[in-house]
Amino acid sequence: MSSSKMGSRLHFAAPNRFLPAAAAGIVSKNVRYKFWAVMLVGTICVLTILHSMTASTFRRRSHEESWYSEASVVKVCPLQKHESPPVTSVESLIKAMRAKSRQATAAAAASTTETFFSASKRREWHRKNPCQSRDQMRALYMLRKVTPDVDENPKWKLVLKEYEILHRTCVRRMGNVTEFFLKKKTIEGCNFVVADTERGTGIGNKLLSIVSIFLYALLTQRVMLVPFATAIPGVMCEPFEGSSWVIDPELRNFTQARENPKLWGTVSKFHQNVDSCFSDDHAAAELRSSSWNRKFFNRDSSTGHDSSAGGELQMNKSRAAASGKNPAVKKIYASRVSEVWDGQPHPRFFCDTEQAHYSRGVTWVYFRESLYFVPKLFAIPSFRAVMEELFPDRYVLPHVLRSVMLPSDAVWGRVRQVHDTYFRHAETRVGIQVRYFHGLSDFELLHQVTENNIQRCLVEHKLLPDPSEKRNHNAHRHHLLQFRSNKTSETQSLNVTTVFIASLYQSLNEKLKNLYLRSALETGDAIGVVQLSHENRQLFGLEVDRQALTEILCLSLSDHLLLTPQSTFGALAQGYGGLRPWFTDIRPHTFTACVRAQSMETCYQLPNTKKFSCPHDLQVHGKAVSQLVPYITDCHLVEEPVFKVRGAGLGMQLLTAHDHSNNKRDAASNL
């Protein structure tokens, strides 16, 4: 097409003010028209491309940002808002809970929701949620004749009572929990924690992880809710009077959060929010979030430190300095704390700065746990003073398990039956738990050496008489009597010891029966051996969990406990019973039959790091947890991980204190 024809065509589309005044300007006119035509066409093309890109970006980001609340931009970083005084003691924790309960109650007064919990409502709630173990559990542990029970914890009871009120107030205000969550509603004073668990995990992993999550919920005054899919509600009682912790019977919204990006924000998005409050460090800290999974698998397993991160961090610091921008902080409605297979929180979760943002900037927090991370809650500087005051002896598990993880009547009835039949009239109770982590193949390879070591341990530490010797009956009885606190005479005709075994296999049961049914008449001791089940393989399901919890509680009623290292099944028995167990030692290069646990607290297996990873808390960043918190140490050498995940070494453990009330327990440990 010629330029003259193009000019002629454009002439009629051009505005009148551009028409030439005389024919002599025809050449200049055509040039100007051609210029404006090109500009117009170019502008239309650019606008079309921008519209397409914006629409694509919106579609891509719409599901990513759907967890942000409607008031999406916070003018001030959450860290800079001091909405309430910091919690630094048990007293201030109780005050904080009461303040939040009052806020929620005041909001209810302005609506039609009733939160008042009258005496008649209390009776009705207990009628609908019967729980015999709530009143009977401690009394059953007090019946042990050799091992004294742990002392009661008055401060724990006070805090738990206030937490129950907060839980009840918020849950009653929510109404339909699923609708409340999906519509992104909020209640003044109420934030929430979802305690989910990995599918296909045993009751030990489930309960230990929920204990950890509950302690976090209590410290941060959040309402803990447990999905129906965990099967925990079918095994345990409702723990909080007048309320319910069960959510999501449809198994959709509060489970599989990693597969629900429209409902739950990612860890990296949360970290971007935190980092955006620190201009120069924004890109560097964002790198820690976005590339953490990759670094996690490449780190030094002995130190948890990734030496390759320095160059990337420096590069991103330079990028942040060059940009000079501080992105807007968006308030997050719901966020998960992990993106890796084991569900344990990201290392930055255990930092003061991140916790300040969770507390003031996130309504719902989602856990999908399978590990016991309580030691790291003690490590968080802002939590430590409260935890130390609440648990001065660091006996965490006995108090939390017995007050929150209460077995349902279906389980408790079985425990009482076993106790009354086999334990009530026994002078001494010995519990033995045996676990073969790789199933039948491990059993066939290791059961003989394991059972021989168990027998050696029992005899060497005088937990049972030696079946190969015709010992003096009175001498053995005298040894057992030194533990007894309420025995009035040494002339009793028969000393009864009950041995309770929990194992998938029956081999040890048969071995001990063959040994002690014959030796009982020779030594004058009566040894009874009890085993409730032996499925030969690990099963899953509600009834399996109920039976497993029954056997765990029976083990916990023992005076002496012999466990398989690294077993969460045995760790629960240790925790419920308040016992410092023995561990069967089957390490290939040792000659000991068993070793004594170094603490009443169980091991935090496979911690993602033993150092603080807190880029915005420079006073602790990069330091070893044990360096700053001396009562947190490596687990016992016998508890080296069975599964070498990422080359992990020993876990972390709280060292419990031993006061004068535990002299008898200490005396037993020296045998």
Side-chain angles (χ1 to χ4, degrees):
M1 181 181 295
S2 65
S3 61
S4 60
K5 290 182 178 180
M6 180 180 293
S8 176
R9 177 176 296 179
L10 291 174
H11 168 77
F12 297 100
N16 289 335
R17 65 177 178 272
F18 290 117
L19 291 174
I26 188 66
V27 175
S28 175
K29 174 197 68 175
N30 287 341
V31 171
R32 287 198 302 271
Y33 286 171
K34 184 175 182 180
F35 169 77
W36 286 110
V38 172
M39 290 295 293
L40 179 63
V41 172
T43 301
I44 293 173
C45 292
V46 170
L47 290 175
T48 302
I49 294 171
L50 288 175
H51 174 75
S52 176
M53 292 175 63
T54 302
S56 175
T57 301
F58 176 79
R59 286 193 299 270
R60 185 177 70 251
R61 291 185 178 179
S62 60
H63 76 279
E64 294 179 355
E65 299 187 352
S66 59
W67 58 81
Y68 289 128
S69 67
E70 298 303 323
S72 59
V73 178
V74 179
K75 298 297 184 183
V76 183
C77 285
L79 191 63
Q80 298 170 327
K81 298 194 302 179
H82 298 285
E83 300 168 351
S84 58
V87 174
T88 57
S89 65
V90 169
E91 181 182 4
S92 61
L93 177 60
I94 291 175
K95 287 181 179 179
M97 289 183 184
R98 287 176 178 171
K100 292 197 172 186
S101 296
R102 284 194 298 268
Q103 288 176 335
T105 303
S111 67
T112 58
T113 305
E114 183 182 0
T115 60
F116 179 66
F117 192 51
S118 63
S120 60
K121 287 183 178 179
R122 179 176 284 103
R123 288 192 296 269
E124 179 65 13
W125 185 86
H126 281 285
R127 186 187 65 80
K128 292 181 178 179
N129 300 278
C131 186
Q132 297 178 20
S133 62
R134 195 187 309 273
D135 300 319
Q136 298 177 5
M137 181 174 286
R138 177 166 174 80
L140 215 59
Y141 288 108
M142 294 293 288
L143 291 177
R144 291 184 294 199
K145 299 176 182 178
V146 171
T147 301
D149 198 17
V150 295
D151 295 332
E152 292 192 281
N153 187 330
K155 288 187 177 181
W156 170 252
K157 288 186 175 181
L158 286 174
V159 170
L160 186 60
K161 195 69 177 177
E162 290 299 329
Y163 182 83
E164 284 184 347
I165 296 172
L166 175 63
H167 198 286
R168 177 170 64 241
T169 304
C170 291
V171 168
R172 285 173 175 261
R173 283 280 289 116
M174 292 171 76
N176 185 300
V177 180
T178 302
E179 179 183 348
F180 181 92
F181 176 73
L182 293 179
K183 291 185 177 180
K184 297 181 180 168
K185 296 180 180 180
T186 59
I187 301 170
E188 187 71 19
C190 298
N191 289 321
F192 307 92
V193 163
V194 175
D196 200 5
T197 59
E198 289 288 341
R199 303 298 167 260
T201 55
I203 190 70
N205 293 81
K206 290 179 182 179
L207 291 192
L208 288 175
S209 66
I210 291 178
V211 164
S212 306
I213 299 166
F214 170 68
L215 273 176
Y216 172 72
L218 183 138
L219 290 167
T220 56
Q221 307 103 58
R222 289 180 177 270
V223 172
M224 185 180 77
L225 302 170
V226 180
F228 182 81
T230 62
I232 293 300
V235 179
M236 317 303 294
C237 296
E238 286 280 5
F240 310 121
E241 188 180 54
S243 189
S244 177
W245 65 350
V246 184
I247 54 171
D248 202 22
E250 298 88 5
L251 312 180
R252 289 196 306 270
N253 302 307
F254 299 98
T255 57
Q256 309 289 332
R258 280 172 287 186
E259 289 77 39
N260 282 298
K262 291 184 179 181
L263 300 179
W264 297 97
T266 63
V267 178
S268 60
K269 284 293 182 183
F270 171 76
H271 288 164
Q272 288 174 16
N273 254 21
V274 177
D275 299 335
S276 62
C277 293
F278 301 87
S279 57
D280 289 343
D281 292 334
H282 170 66
E286 183 178 353
L287 171 69
R288 294 178 182 273
S289 304
S290 61
S291 64
W292 178 77
N293 282 337
R294 175 165 47 82
K295 294 196 300 174
F296 184 78
F297 289 96
N298 293 332
R299 65 169 198 227
D300 183 338
S301 62
S302 62
T303 64
H305 176 67
D306 176 42
S307 58
S308 67
E312 292 178 304
L313 289 173
Q314 187 60 43
M315 175 190 66
N316 281 275
K317 284 181 180 180
S318 301
R319 183 190 304 169
S323 67
K325 295 180 179 179
N326 186 13
V329 179
K330 294 183 177 181
K331 190 168 184 178
I332 297 175
Y333 185 71
S335 178
R336 55 187 188 259
V337 301
S338 174
E339 296 179 11
V340 294
W341 71 273
D342 57 16
Q344 63 179 308
H346 188 285
R348 284 179 63 178
F349 178 84
F350 302 102
C351 302
D352 277 343
T353 296
E354 279 68 16
Q355 283 307 317
H357 282 260
Y358 273 118
S359 178
R360 300 176 184 130
V362 182
T363 304
W364 289 78
V365 178
Y366 175 88
F367 290 82
R368 193 181 187 189
E369 281 293 311
S370 60
L371 296 171
Y372 179 71
F373 60 84
V374 167
K376 274 203 170 180
L377 293 181
F378 275 87
I380 299 174
S382 58
F383 290 178
R384 193 178 309 146
V386 180
M387 290 288 279
E388 289 177 343
E389 185 181 354
L390 199 53
F391 304 105
D393 49 15
R394 296 181 288 281
Y395 296 170
V396 177
L397 278 173
H399 298 302
V400 180
L401 287 172
R402 296 187 196 179
S403 56
V404 179
M405 301 299 154
L406 299 166
S408 66
D409 285 359
V411 174
W412 189 245
R414 303 179 195 184
V415 175
R416 288 301 304 262
Q417 179 69 17
V418 173
H419 177 272
D420 293 345
T421 304
Y422 300 107
F423 291 169
R424 182 176 291 275
H425 302 292
E427 296 296 311
T428 308
R429 310 165 185 180
V430 177
I432 305 173
Q433 180 257 344
V434 187
R435 170 74 189 273
Y436 298 96
F437 289 97
H438 295 92
L440 183 61
S441 61
D442 258 15
F443 169 76
E444 293 175 344
L445 179 66
L446 299 173
H447 82 92
Q448 288 186 349
V449 65
T450 299
E451 292 167 9
N452 289 339
N453 280 6
I454 289 173
Q455 182 188 345
R456 278 181 55 205
C457 178
L458 295 172
V459 172
E460 289 177 2
H461 297 284
K462 299 179 172 56
L463 306 180
L464 288 181
D466 188 344
S468 64
E469 296 180 1
K470 293 185 178 181
R471 303 192 311 154
N472 179 276
H473 166 50
N474 289 329
H476 179 64
R477 178 188 295 172
H478 175 71
H479 170 76
L480 293 174
L481 288 176
Q482 66 181 321
F483 296 109
R484 296 186 53 190
S485 59
N486 60 349
K487 190 172 179 64
T488 60
S489 173
E490 296 185 10
T491 59
Q492 185 173 341
S493 60
L494 190 65
N495 186 73
V496 178
T497 298
T498 296
V499 179
F500 184 88
I501 299 174
S503 177
L504 293 176
Y505 304 95
Q506 203 174 9
S507 178
L508 178 64
N509 180 23
E510 295 172 350
K511 179 182 182 72
L512 293 182
K513 280 184 175 179
N514 288 336
L515 289 171
Y516 286 104
L517 284 180
R518 291 194 298 268
S519 67
L521 295 177
E522 297 173 356
T523 64
D525 298 312
I527 309 296
V529 182
V530 182
Q531 183 173 351
L532 300 183
S533 64
H534 49 89
E535 294 89 349
N536 294 321
R537 61 190 179 96
Q538 186 168 359
L539 304 174
F540 301 97
L542 177 59
E543 177 55 31
V544 173
D545 283 350
R546 285 176 173 171
Q547 184 60 28
L549 185 57
T550 299
E551 298 189 23
I552 286 168
L553 291 167
C554 289
L555 284 170
S556 75
L557 293 169
S558 303
D559 295 299
H560 310 294
L561 198 56
L562 179 57
L563 303 176
T564 299
Q566 289 280 294
S567 170
T568 55
F569 186 104
L572 267 188
Q574 169 185 352
Y576 271 110
L579 298 168
R580 190 151 65 98
W582 299 86
F583 289 129
T584 307
D585 191 351
I586 56 171
R587 290 174 292 174
H589 303 298
T590 60
F591 300 98
T592 54
C594 61
V595 296
R596 194 72 187 270
Q598 60 188 5
S599 174
M600 282 173 52
E601 279 291 298
T602 190
C603 180
Y604 172 17
Q605 303 175 22
L606 305 175
N608 41 36
T609 177
K610 295 181 184 179
K611 292 187 175 184
F612 288 98
S613 182
C614 305
H616 303 305
D617 301 334
L618 299 182
Q619 70 277 16
V620 299
H621 181 57
K623 295 181 180 179
V625 170
S626 59
Q627 177 185 348
L628 301 181
V629 191
Y631 52 77
I632 298 178
T633 186
D634 286 349
C635 300
H636 197 290
L637 289 172
V638 78
E639 296 189 272
E640 188 175 357
V642 174
F643 300 103
K644 293 289 186 180
V645 180
R646 300 181 297 270
L650 292 170
M652 305 171 68
Q653 189 169 41
L654 286 173
L655 292 179
T656 48
H658 299 280
D659 55 29
H660 294 295
S661 65
N662 293 317
N663 283 341
K664 290 184 179 180
R665 183 181 293 109
D666 289 343
S669 71
N670 292 327
L671 294 176

